[in-house]
Amino acid sequence: MKRKIKNNVSWIGYIDWELENFHGDEYSISNGSSQNAYLIEEEKTVLIDTIWDPHGEEFIENLKKEVDLSTIDYIIANHGEPDHSGALPLILKEIPDTPVYCTANGVKSLKGQYHEDWNFQVVKTGDTLDIGNGKELIFIEMRMLHWPDSMATYLTGDNILFSNDAFGQHYAVAELFNDKADPCLLEKEALKYYANILTPFSAFASKKIKEIVALDLPIDIIAPSHGVIWRDNPGQIIEKYAKWADDYQEDQITIVYDTMWGGTEKLAHRIAKEIGKLSPDTRVKIFNVVKKDKNEIMTEVFKSKAIAVGSPTVGNNVLSSVSGWLTFLKSLKFKKKKAAAFGCYGWSGESVKILQETLKDAGFEVTDSSLRINWDPEESDYEMAKEVAKELVS
Ligand code: FEO
């Protein structure tokens, strides 16, 4: 069932209350999500994006209840990732000649995934499409936000920016709009989304936000492809993105570790205690990498000015739980954050050096001091925790 957004613009997406993970198992979903597609019915009828294939049949059936598919004049494919393009093959089987507007990279992405030579119409930033009644669509390439093909589409007259993935959240809200959402959850999910998906592309985000602001387009609504539609002060999410994209950090230090027999866990807590003594206002958080959701930890890292990572030595290396997490950490390309390493060992004791090298390779400014403790720590071993804390808070 379509739901009115403004005038002749409707939401026709899918709210997925039961989704638990996304991007394979890379992104945990805690509060549901949605795939938002939109229908514009002016002199021309326009479909903006579709939804994910598992719900494709249902989507087409709903769409058919609202419009005769043969009356759709244009399809806008803002992004080729399957959560937005998944129902395109089903639709285009029924209306095969309908023009599909996308970027040049969008053609590559859609052809590569669906192996169909649809009626692609390549657009670039500033190109427009007249849809009648004095309204037009303006296309804005959003390269690397978060795929090379990503694009946004702006509707004049109604002043709606269909931003696709940008400004989205994996958050199910039945009422669709930001003013109907729980504000704490909305902030949390928008930040988790940025931290875990967009952080590596922050330089692109900064540049693009400046470009969008310079276009000086009135924006009454930002309609992303996931989560709430921003109609109450839509500029707030643009302002947040500008802040988050600018090497964002708070006065927070996050400690992440795994442990075999509890020694490395003791070090984690001791470092936290020393930070608390030195800088009582600094927010300190401690996570066992196995027990806490990796995306939630990464959101805390995003907010932090420094981190400490711990693992005992096992098999001349670090625990696989920690190395897997570090691989994810590196992929997010954090900048301007400090990091310290710590860990216990029985004999060879390579873990701390490996952690330091990996953190450096991941773009962190690694502290000179570390905590490398033979067997289980005792009071005299904790002296160095003070040095680690001092470097992290400074
Ligand atoms: Fe929501 Fe990049 O797809």
Side-chain angles (χ1 to χ4, degrees):
M1 183 88 66
K2 71 180 181 185
R3 314 254 303 267
K4 184 173 166 175
I5 301 299
K6 185 177 180 183
N7 298 330
N8 297 323
V9 181
S10 313
W11 174 93
I12 181 125
Y14 183 84
I15 298 183
D16 198 338
W17 293 96
E18 296 181 12
L19 197 66
E20 291 186 329
N21 46 47
F22 197 76
H23 285 158
D25 202 25
E26 278 297 279
Y27 192 103
S28 60
I29 305 281
S30 311
N31 294 288
S33 187
S34 67
Q35 296 128 45
N36 303 332
Y38 300 95
L39 192 63
I40 305 173
E41 296 168 281
E42 296 294 348
E43 282 174 42
K44 300 291 185 185
T45 301
V46 185
L47 176 66
I48 298 189
D49 293 321
T50 69
I51 66 162
W52 194 15
D53 178 51
H55 314 294
E57 297 277 2
E58 190 181 332
F59 174 71
I60 306 280
E61 288 315 306
N62 285 338
L63 194 57
K64 281 180 178 172
K65 285 177 198 157
E66 305 297 343
V67 288
D68 177 347
L69 290 192
S70 67
T71 66
I72 295 177
D73 296 288
Y74 311 125
I75 295 174
I76 313 299
N78 275 329
H79 179 28
E81 196 163 8
D83 48 329
H84 310 297
S85 65
L88 270 183
L90 284 173
I91 293 178
L92 288 167
K93 201 175 271 180
E94 303 212 24
I95 45 170
D97 298 326
T98 309
V100 177
Y101 288 78
C102 62
T103 62
N105 281 321
V107 177
K108 285 187 205 166
S109 162
L110 292 168
K111 274 191 179 175
Q113 293 178 93
Y114 302 111
H115 313 291
E116 296 280 358
D117 202 12
W118 292 320
N119 179 10
F120 293 113
Q121 300 294 315
V122 173
V123 292
K124 50 190 187 332
T125 298
D127 287 351
T128 59
L129 179 63
D130 190 339
I131 60 168
N133 295 332
K135 295 180 183 179
E136 60 180 17
L137 299 176
I138 303 175
F139 302 106
I140 305 165
E141 290 167 275
M142 301 280 277
R143 197 168 79 81
M144 300 320 296
L145 293 175
H146 66 127
W147 274 19
D149 70 322
S150 297
M151 178 173 87
T153 300
Y154 177 81
L155 171 61
T156 65
D158 292 318
N159 305 337
I160 301 176
L161 180 69
F162 299 96
S163 58
N164 197 263
D165 280 329
F167 311 126
Q169 340 82 47
H170 285 300
Y171 178 27
V173 175
E175 300 81 7
L176 299 182
F177 295 101
N178 67 317
D179 48 292
K180 299 290 182 186
D182 175 324
C184 294
L185 269 186
L186 177 54
E187 167 86 17
K188 181 179 187 297
E189 292 298 345
L191 182 63
K192 178 181 171 186
Y193 185 97
Y194 188 95
N196 284 274
I197 297 176
L198 291 166
T199 298
F201 310 114
S202 283
F204 291 93
S206 278
K207 204 170 150 217
K208 188 52 66 176
I209 286 163
K210 285 183 190 124
E211 194 184 311
I212 290 173
V213 170
L215 287 173
D216 204 21
L217 298 168
I219 296 177
D220 293 345
I221 291 176
I222 295 178
S225 57
H226 299 289
V228 302
I229 295 165
W230 303 88
R231 71 176 174 187
D232 176 36
N233 183 18
Q236 67 180 287
I237 190 64
I238 297 180
E239 283 163 24
K240 280 186 180 132
Y241 266 49
K243 233 167 45 175
W244 293 339
D246 189 19
D247 300 321
Y248 182 76
Q249 51 182 250
E250 298 173 13
D251 187 9
Q252 175 172 328
I253 297 175
T254 299
I255 301 171
V256 183
Y257 75 96
D258 193 10
T259 195
M260 286 175 74
W261 296 105
T264 301
E265 181 180 10
K266 286 178 193 167
L267 301 184
H269 287 271
R270 190 57 181 242
I271 293 169
K273 191 174 165 186
E274 297 299 338
I275 293 169
K277 278 197 245 170
L278 281 173
S279 180
D281 290 337
T282 299
R283 190 189 311 125
V284 183
K285 297 196 179 184
I286 308 174
F287 300 107
N288 181 308
V289 76
V290 175
K291 295 179 182 169
K292 181 78 177 175
D293 176 271
K294 66 178 182 296
N295 302 106
E296 299 288 349
I297 300 177
M298 223 46 97
T299 309
E300 298 302 332
V301 169
F302 179 82
K303 289 191 283 181
S304 299
K305 62 180 182 182
I307 63 172
V309 181
S311 170
T313 297
V314 57
N316 307 111
N317 213 312
V318 300
L319 287 168
S320 60
S321 54
V322 177
S323 64
W325 186 82
L326 286 169
T327 299
F328 183 27
L329 182 79
K330 185 183 172 190
S331 76
L332 291 180
K333 299 180 179 152
F334 287 110
K335 289 190 176 62
K336 297 186 182 170
K337 294 185 194 292
K338 289 184 189 174
F342 62 96
C344 293
Y345 68 100
W347 46 105
S348 58
E350 292 92 341
S351 72
V352 167
K353 188 160 183 276
I354 291 169
L355 288 172
Q356 287 176 318
E357 284 167 358
T358 311
L359 287 164
K360 196 171 169 201
D361 195 33
F364 287 78
E365 297 160 27
V366 176
T367 59
D368 292 331
S369 51
S370 59
L371 262 178
R372 179 175 176 268
I373 303 301
N374 196 206
W375 301 112
D376 199 53
E378 55 188 329
E379 196 54 36
S380 58
D381 290 324
Y382 288 131
E383 272 308 301
M384 197 48 98
K386 292 178 188 165
E387 293 305 311
V388 169
K390 203 192 292 177
E391 279 198 72
L392 290 177
V393 300
S394 64

